[in-house]
Amino acid sequence: MRNQLVKSLVALFLSTASLEASAGLVSFTSTEFQQTESGQTFTFTINDAPLADLIDGTFLIHARGDYTINSQPPEVISVKIEDGNYFDQDVGATNANSTVTNPDLVEWSESFLLPGDELFSWTQDHKIIITLALSPDVTFDLNAIQGGNPFVQATISYTTSAVPLPAATWLFLSGLIGMLGYGKPRKIS
């Protein structure tokens, strides 16, 4: 009976190694923020964001609206992540994958790499704040824009860290197995 119990606990001990949370890819996409005025600002907050691993992630902007290609000054979206500590960049239709429906309606998307160490830093409080600010020249005029409402959408993707079981769990299980294996030897007659 005791040997069977010890064998069961050893099997349990070994199987708990597989309980460690493995690393995985997570992705958060904002709703399509509908532009309703010129030069608007949107905030995208991710609560309960898992801790990032020290591996680069990606950030994607997808937008449609009055983004004149090669305009001066450029018509852009200023992107800031987590108080602008690292990622503070203007993005627009000029260098992105863009589709021009008419001079007032350009749909485009652009992707960027986010450094793993910054992602790790941003996710320490399990919260990521992304601010998308349209430049004043990104005008809103539904009479001029035919073919779809202007919008902005953001997606952030990164790899999560593997979370090992606490050392106390391993210590408890090994102690439990040791106590069950310890006993008075039987006399064989």
Side-chain angles (χ1 to χ4, degrees), residues 150-171:
F151 70 87
V152 179
Q153 188 171 40
T155 301
I156 188 169
S157 302
Y158 63 88
T159 303
T160 58
S161 301
V163 180
L165 287 174
T169 304
W170 295 112
L171 187 60

Side-chain angles (χ1 to χ4, degrees), residues 142-153:
L142 280 179
N143 293 325
I145 299 172
Q146 299 296 320
N149 291 339
F151 70 87
V152 179
Q153 188 171 40

Side-chain angles (χ1 to χ4, degrees), residues 67 71 73-78 90-94 108 133-138:
Y67 298 92
S71 67
E75 296 174 357
V76 297
I77 299 174
S78 176
D90 291 343
V91 296
T94 304
W108 58 274
L134 280 60
S135 62
D137 295 328
V138 181

Side-chain angles (χ1 to χ4, degrees), residues 109-127:
S109 62
E110 190 168 0
S111 182
F112 299 92
L113 281 180
L114 297 176
D117 55 344
E118 292 296 330
L119 278 164
F120 182 79
S121 172
W122 296 336
T123 56
Q124 288 299 307
D125 61 354
H126 299 284
K127 186 176 191 178

